[in-house]
Amino acid sequence: MLRYIFILFFFTINSFGYATEQIKDQMIYNGKTYYIQNVFLNKTLLSNYVYENFLTNNYFNTALWRGYMATYEIVNNKVVLEDIKSFKMKNSNDSNNIKSETVINNDIEKLIENNPINNVIILSDTDDYYEEKSFENGEYFVLEIENSKVTKSFKFNYNQLVQFKRDQFKLFSKTKTAKNFLSECKKDAEKQYQDSLEKGNKELASVYKKYDCKNILETDMFFYLNENNIYRKILNN
């Protein structure tokens, strides 16, 4: 599992410069709408559902590869899917003629109910896709979700959020899971380095030689590690 995730990290990071910023899902919390900054909840389930049931033909929108936009709400301390929208071109030859429609139904609600959410999520009232205001002036919440219930909630400004992430990384880096990840990451980087040299690809070999597994772990623990259920609980001192 860790080996697969490491390979996924490397591919994602090296293609990041070419990827379009993705439109975030939203969460209504304490009556206010926030963007979910670090993860797409139930992404595989919902994306498969809208594509397999032909609810979207969203291949034209590189900012929404998953094919939908979801809105969740915390109701009685539980995460509930409130809305899911898909997008279709009315005319296959006109990407400017796009129709948005709500596709939430009993089938989708049952999918979510049968697959409880276990994540640490970061909420923000600003987002770089819409550029509503700077991150430094944003309002943030970090929520720990266990079996779709909010078990911990912290409110931060930007600087406090940055410090919180640093503190969590220090704690997480001491765990067996993190140590195993770093060990396997270094082994894979060395293997890719040697393979690249054997193939005469000095440029790629140089990338692997400089690969900083510790930095990747710190940078992505709230993103890909979270999404793959490796880091999904807020750690305490």
Side-chain angles (χ1 to χ4, degrees):
M1 178 65 175
L2 288 176
R3 180 180 179 84
Y4 165 77
I5 292 172
F6 166 69
I7 293 171
L8 174 65
F9 279 4
F10 188 83
F11 173 80
T12 303
I13 291 164
N14 279 272
S15 62
F16 183 78
Y18 305 96
T20 304
E21 176 67 28
Q22 295 297 291
I23 299 171
K24 304 293 193 301
D25 289 336
Q26 298 181 336
M27 176 77 76
I28 301 171
Y29 186 50
N30 294 333
K32 182 175 177 178
T33 301
Y34 296 88
Y35 300 103
I36 304 175
Q37 288 292 341
N38 64 315
V39 67
F40 297 109
L41 302 174
N42 307 115
K43 180 179 70 174
T44 300
L45 285 173
L46 294 177
S47 187
N48 288 345
Y49 186 87
V50 296
Y51 279 115
E52 290 172 2
N53 290 277
F54 305 102
L55 300 177
T56 185
N57 56 3
N58 186 44
Y59 302 105
F60 57 86
N61 192 340
T62 58
L64 204 65
W65 285 119
R66 64 191 184 281
Y68 68 89
M69 284 174 48
T71 299
Y72 296 85
E73 184 171 7
I74 306 296
V75 179
N76 296 324
N77 218 42
K78 183 178 180 180
V79 179
V80 177
L81 179 64
E82 285 292 330
D83 190 25
I84 178 169
K85 286 184 170 62
S86 68
F87 298 82
K88 288 185 178 182
M89 286 189 292
K90 296 179 182 179
N91 185 325
S92 60
N93 296 319
D94 184 6
S95 61
N96 293 316
N97 193 1
I98 300 171
K99 177 185 178 183
S100 166
E101 61 181 351
T102 295
V103 296
I104 192 169
N105 55 39
N106 290 335
D107 290 337
I108 293 178
E109 290 176 339
K110 287 179 182 177
L111 273 177
I112 302 304
E113 189 69 27
N114 293 332
N115 292 272
I117 295 167
N118 294 281
N119 286 101
V120 175
I121 64 173
I122 299 174
L123 305 181
S124 171
D125 63 352
T126 185
D127 183 69
D128 48 2
Y129 183 85
Y130 297 102
E131 297 181 347
E132 293 173 332
K133 63 180 178 180
S134 69
F135 279 111
E136 289 79 5
N137 294 320
E139 175 182 278
Y140 300 88
F141 281 93
V142 176
L143 307 181
E144 179 186 276
I145 312 294
E146 187 172 353
N147 293 321
S148 298
K149 290 279 190 176
V150 178
T151 53
K152 295 178 183 177
S153 174
F154 300 92
K155 184 178 181 180
F156 297 123
N157 60 32
Y158 178 77
N159 290 331
Q160 290 169 332
L161 176 66
V162 171
Q163 187 60 52
F164 172 81
K165 288 182 176 181
R166 289 173 179 164
D167 293 341
Q168 284 294 289
F169 172 69
K170 288 179 182 178
L171 294 171
F172 183 64
S173 63
K174 297 176 183 178
T175 66
K176 183 178 179 180
T177 298
K179 291 176 181 178
N180 287 343
F181 173 86
L182 287 173
S183 175
E184 189 147 352
C185 175
K186 291 174 183 177
K187 289 178 183 177
D188 275 332
E190 178 61 25
K191 183 180 184 303
Q192 295 296 334
Y193 168 70
Q194 294 296 340
D195 288 347
S196 299
L197 285 180
E198 290 177 8
K199 294 175 182 178
N201 192 335
K202 293 183 179 180
E203 184 177 355
L204 185 57
S206 176
V207 172
Y208 281 112
K209 186 69 174 177
K210 299 174 183 177
Y211 204 67
D212 187 344
C213 291
K214 185 177 180 181
N215 181 62
I216 295 304
L217 180 64
E218 181 173 9
T219 301
D220 289 311
M221 64 177 288
F222 281 91
F223 296 89
Y224 303 110
L225 288 180
N226 187 333
E227 193 171 86
N228 288 278
N229 293 325
I230 293 178
Y231 169 80
R232 64 178 190 179
K233 292 182 73 66
I234 294 173
L235 303 173
N236 298 317
N237 287 312

